[in-house]
Amino acid sequence: MTTPTNSHKAWTNKGGHVTGAHLLLSTAQVDEQQAKAWLDRVGWDAAAALGVDAAPEQSAAAEGAQCLARLLSHEEQWRSDTGTGRLSIRELLELARSPSGANEAELARKALGRRGIKATDHGLVIANSPDLLAPIYGNTKWCKGGHAQRLRDLPGADAAGPVHFPVMRTHKATTVPWAAAGF
């Protein structure tokens, strides 16, 4: 994000937490208008961005965005025809959304499925199971299944019911629309 002037502090905060949160989701440089649109999309307002007391639903949406940002920035081991390394969940989702015939797309779907994550036409589906997501949420405040409610605080997110994940069995899940996930 670009550095704001004094009159534009509504889209940043003293510690740079909003900037840091955006960088978890994207490395693209944004201008003030794009930054404000991003804050709106993830459910933050100026008060939440500045750490000022806000309405409970605004705070819940902000925490939901943080919870999702942690998930999307988590890296998994990756092995494909082109080599090995680590890819973020966001990168794996981008691969998984590729045409279904692509080998890397199928490998990405399986890697995400092992973690209880699935890309659908409507959005991102995340298992409510704390065991599948323990490496991501570990000992955070979203461990032990706490991520499910926080993710449901995102705009348009909802309980998905039982969902079958590639390579794994069926689990109750939460659906987050692609727009709320920044795709």
Side-chain angles (χ1 to χ4, degrees):
M1 288 185 183
T2 59
T3 305
T5 64
N6 287 336
S7 63
H8 300 106
K9 294 217 184 238
W11 58 272
T12 190
N13 61 358
K14 294 176 187 164
H17 299 294
V18 173
T19 303
H22 181 265
L23 285 171
L24 288 172
L25 299 171
S26 172
T27 58
Q29 185 172 358
V30 296
D31 61 25
E32 178 184 349
Q33 183 178 6
Q34 292 168 317
K36 286 179 180 178
W38 180 78
L39 285 172
D40 289 340
R41 200 168 52 248
V42 298
W44 282 352
D45 69 353
L50 294 170
V52 177
D53 287 339
E57 63 276 2
Q58 291 171 334
S59 297
E63 189 173 331
Q66 294 169 346
C67 181
L68 180 61
R70 181 172 184 102
L71 176 101
L72 295 175
S73 65
H74 176 79
E75 292 185 347
E76 290 283 324
Q77 280 297 119
W78 175 252
R79 183 187 318 195
S80 71
D81 298 337
T82 59
T84 60
R86 297 184 69 76
L87 290 181
S88 70
I89 297 294
R90 173 175 288 286
E91 292 167 316
L92 288 170
L93 285 165
E94 288 170 355
L95 283 173
R97 293 179 71 196
S98 301
S100 60
N103 185 43
E104 282 199 338
E106 188 57 32
L107 291 173
R109 286 185 200 102
K110 287 180 180 178
L112 290 166
R114 281 189 288 278
R115 195 56 64 216
I117 301 168
K118 186 176 186 176
T120 69
D121 292 341
H122 305 290
L124 169 64
V125 181
I126 303 148
N128 295 346
S129 169
D131 296 336
L132 294 174
L133 295 161
I136 297 171
Y137 293 119
N139 53 5
T140 69
K141 59 186 167 183
W142 306 302
C143 69
K144 299 180 183 172
H147 68 284
Q149 185 55 51
R150 291 295 67 88
L151 293 172
R152 288 184 195 147
D153 290 330
L154 292 168
D158 202 5
V163 174
H164 179 75
F165 292 90
V167 186
M168 298 304 289
R169 60 187 189 276
T170 301
H171 295 273
K172 289 184 180 179
T174 299
T175 299
V176 176
W178 289 118
F183 285 87

